[in-house]
Each structure stands twice: as C-alpha cells, then as structure tokens.
C-alpha cells in the first residue's frame, strides 16, 4: 500500500500547494487506486504521477466545499477518454450526486462507464473480503466525514516443509492449505490448515479525516490506526480562529494521534499563510506532542512495509 498526496493546501491553490486530494494506492492488494477528495486541478496533478485514472476504483469525498470537489467533473470526464470502463463508485455527502449529474447535463458530458453513487451515512459504508471502510461525521462548518480504512487480516504463510513432512504432495492441495482449507490425503488422513500455516497477519489501518475542529469522532476513527491523515490548517497561536472556522491546528492533530494510540501522523491541508520558512516550526511544535509525524507536501509518497511507514524519495 502507498499513499500519495496530490494536493495539500487549504481553501485555494497556491504556488506550493494544490487543493485537497490524495490517492491510496492499493495496486498490490487489489490492482486499483482509491482517491480521497478531488480539489480543482487534481487531474493535472495526476499527470505528474504514475497514477492511471482508469485504475481509480473508488472516490471518497469528505465534504462539499469547493477545494475538495471542484476537480471531480473534469476527472470523471477524462477517465472516459483514458480507457476507463469499470464501474467507479463515488462516496459522498447528500448533494454530491445531484451536483455531478447537473454538471454533466449542463455541459453535455457523456460518461462511458457506470458511476455508482453512495450517499454517506455514519457506519460501515463499504466491506468486502479484503477491506472495511467506516465513516463518521466530523465537526466542520458543513457536513463533513472522516474515513477509517481497515485491511482485514491476511492469511498466514504456508509452512511448506512442515506440510511435506506430513505427507502433503506438491500440487493443488498445498494451495488449499494456504487458503485456509483443511484437506484429506489419499490414505484418509486429515491435515488441518492451521497445522501448516503461520498465524494470520494483521492488516493495516489508515484514517483519513476531512476538515474538522478538535472532536471525539476524529479520535474514534484514529484509534490504534497505523496512519492518520489529519488537517493542520492553523498553528497553536490561532487555535480559536481555527475552531471558529471548523479547522484544527498542528498541535490539536498531534493530540488526536497521541490520545488515539496511532502509530504515524501525516499533517495535511496547510494554510497558504504558512511560508516554507514556517514549516519547520509547525513540525517541531507538533512533535513535542507526537513525534512520529510528517508534514506533507504535494506529490509526497509513503509506503507501508513491514509495519513501518517509509517516505519515498
């Protein structure tokens, strides 16, 4: 799994930061990409990455502010021209479906693939054999959601030598054992999968929060998460200003990660008021509360390997 940031700014684009969007790359897990928010010019940002729009399987929208959705109509349209044929599922608050369909109607835009709209309600919004995604409402000036993406436990590794010692021949029986199925040998002996496989491996947990002031649901979504993506629009000196506008500070984001028992924190959605020279102070101040954090910039990419977050250079 990889996370790549396509836009890390707040409110409007700047020379350093585009508006909100990030990609959760699940290429090894399911051969697809999940996009979270789609601010203006997101498809332009994608041109500078290895992401293929036809690989985007799901788009999750936290809320309907323009800096989180104004790139959607263009990206959805371009996906048709770029070979997208598979269904794309679009998750978002009430009103998103109406806005997209109205935009397509007025602009005479025709999509060549199916779009499935899911209006977000609190609770589980997606589940299959690999992942479960939970949404909870945050505290912003309009309805806004955060998402908790949990990878289900992975099968343990097959202990081939142990299986061979028990008389399991090469071939499909080994595959069945690896997939958790018990088997019966020709002589009638039953071999249990758990006897020849290591224990299941814990999957990763990623929490991606929309715009929010300090709130309990941020902490609940972040509980024991491996990675938390949290906005840090303001700094500690403007905490009251942040709360008035439904946003958080760098210190408040660090506080959420600490109290939730998260492992890593990625600070995102940075106001243009902070110049490059200010960034180091934002990081150092937040690290006093939660040391394992990064303040991200556009195109930063992180990989999750062996239960560690690795920033790619």
């Amino acid at each position: 799994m990889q996370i790549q940031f396509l836009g890390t700014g707040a409110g409007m684009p700047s020379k350093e930061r585009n508006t909100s969007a990030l990609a959760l790359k699940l290429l090894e897990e399911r051969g697809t990409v999940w996009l979270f928010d789609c601010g203006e010019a997101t498809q332009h940002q994608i041109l500078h990455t290895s992401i293929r729009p036809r690989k985007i399987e799901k788009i999750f929208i936290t809320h309907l502010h323009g800096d989180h959705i104004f790139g959607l109509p263009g990206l959805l349209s371009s996906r048709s021209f770029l070979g997208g044929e598979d269904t794309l599922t679009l998750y978002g608050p009430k009103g998103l479906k109406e806005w997209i369909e109205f935009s397509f109607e007025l602009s005479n835009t025709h999509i060549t693939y199916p779009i499935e709209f899911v209006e977000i309600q609190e609770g589980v919004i997606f589940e299959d054999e690999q992942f479960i995604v939970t949404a909870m409402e945050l505290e912003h000036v309009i309805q806004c959601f955060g998402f908790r993406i949990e990878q289900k436990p992975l099968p343990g590794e097959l202990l081939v030598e142990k299986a061979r010692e028990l008389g399991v021949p090469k071939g499909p029986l080994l595959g069945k054992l690896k997939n958790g199925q018990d088997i019966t040998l020709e002589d009638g002996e039953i071999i249990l999968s758990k006897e020849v496989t290591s224990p299941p491996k814990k999957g990763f947990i990623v929490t991606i929060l929309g715009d929010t002031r300090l709130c309990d649901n941020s902490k609940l979504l972040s509980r024991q998460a491996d990675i938390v993506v949290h906005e840090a629009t303001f700094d500690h000196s403007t905490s009251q200003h942040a709360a008035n506008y439904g946003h958080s500070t760098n210190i408040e984001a660090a506080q959420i990660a600490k109290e939730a028992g998260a492992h890593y924190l990625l600070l995102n959605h940075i106001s243009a008021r902070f110049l490059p020279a200010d960034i180091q102070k934002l990081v150092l101040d937040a690290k006093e509360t939660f040391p394992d954090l990064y303040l991200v910039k556009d195109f930063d990419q992180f990989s999750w390997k062996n239960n560690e977050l690795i920033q790619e250079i």
Side-chain angles (χ1 to χ4, degrees):
M1 180 271 290
Q2 296 171 309
I3 298 176
Q4 186 164 30
F5 290 85
L6 302 172
T8 59
M12 61 182 182
S14 67
K15 290 182 178 179
E16 287 78 26
R17 298 177 183 275
N18 199 51
T19 48
S20 293
L22 71 87
L24 186 66
K25 297 181 178 180
L26 302 171
L27 299 175
E28 292 185 10
E29 291 80 5
R30 59 197 293 130
T32 62
V33 174
W34 292 0
L35 194 65
F36 289 79
D37 285 336
C38 189
E40 178 184 352
T42 292
Q43 66 171 319
H44 290 265
Q45 298 290 88
I46 286 175
L47 293 174
H48 300 284
T49 73
S50 62
I51 297 170
R52 298 291 176 262
R54 61 185 176 83
K55 289 287 188 180
I56 298 175
E57 174 194 14
K58 299 178 182 296
I59 301 178
F60 298 83
I61 299 298
T62 60
H63 64 296
L64 301 185
H65 274 158
D67 59 320
H68 294 255
I69 65 168
F70 280 171
L72 257 179
L75 176 62
L76 296 176
S77 177
S78 294
R79 189 174 184 265
S80 288
F81 293 106
L82 296 171
E85 298 177 349
D86 297 331
T87 299
L88 185 147
T89 307
L90 190 54
Y91 300 81
K94 183 178 181 179
L96 180 63
K97 179 176 186 289
E98 180 183 6
W99 178 67
I100 291 295
E101 291 182 341
F102 194 50
S103 298
F104 285 169
E105 180 182 350
L106 286 180
S107 61
N108 198 30
T109 298
H110 300 283
I111 302 300
T112 60
Y113 56 89
I115 297 179
E116 177 186 0
F117 290 92
V118 177
E119 186 176 298
I120 298 175
Q121 303 287 334
E122 282 202 325
V124 175
I125 60 172
F126 170 74
E127 184 173 8
D128 66 3
E129 69 280 358
Q130 289 182 297
F131 290 95
I132 180 168
V133 181
T134 304
M136 296 184 74
E137 195 162 346
L138 306 175
E139 294 186 12
H140 193 40
V141 294
I142 65 171
Q143 188 180 48
C144 184
F145 289 90
F147 304 103
R148 179 181 174 94
I149 303 96
E150 299 180 67
Q151 183 186 33
K152 293 184 176 180
L154 303 172
E157 295 181 0
L158 178 66
L159 307 175
V160 178
E161 291 302 319
K162 187 171 183 179
R164 296 297 301 277
E165 289 174 4
L166 293 175
V168 181
K170 292 182 179 179
L173 292 180
L174 288 174
K176 289 183 177 181
L177 289 168
K178 182 178 180 180
N179 291 330
Q181 298 175 256
D182 301 332
I183 64 169
T184 302
L185 300 180
E186 288 185 357
D187 61 5
E189 183 180 359
I190 297 175
I191 307 296
L192 303 179
S193 174
K194 66 181 181 180
E195 294 178 322
V196 293
T197 55
S198 61
K201 296 180 180 179
K202 175 185 174 295
F204 59 77
I205 301 174
V206 177
T207 297
I208 299 173
L209 302 173
D211 292 1
T212 183
R213 61 173 61 91
L214 191 66
C215 70
D216 289 339
N217 280 354
S218 293
K219 190 188 308 181
L220 289 172
L221 287 169
S222 303
R223 183 171 48 84
Q224 299 299 314
D226 295 300
I227 304 165
V228 174
V229 180
H230 198 300
E231 68 132 292
T233 310
F234 293 91
D235 65 359
H236 189 60
S237 68
T238 54
S239 57
Q240 188 57 54
H241 195 60
N244 291 341
Y245 284 91
H247 287 293
S248 298
T249 70
N250 55 333
I251 304 298
E252 289 169 340
Q255 180 182 337
I256 287 292
K258 179 180 179 179
E259 294 180 3
H263 298 151
Y264 294 96
L265 172 64
L266 301 178
L267 297 177
N268 187 28
H269 202 267
I270 310 302
S271 171
R273 73 177 61 206
F274 298 115
L275 301 176
D278 302 318
I279 297 301
Q280 186 63 16
K281 179 171 173 48
L282 290 176
V283 171
L284 292 176
D285 287 350
K287 281 192 172 186
E288 291 183 10
T289 300
F290 188 84
D292 291 323
L293 66 82
Y294 299 86
L295 192 152
V296 299
K297 59 184 184 298
D298 289 14
F299 304 116
D300 276 355
Q301 180 162 283
F302 299 83
S303 292
W304 184 249
K305 295 180 180 179
N306 301 319
N307 294 321
E308 288 189 23
L309 187 66
I310 300 171
Q311 184 174 21
E312 299 184 7
I313 306 300

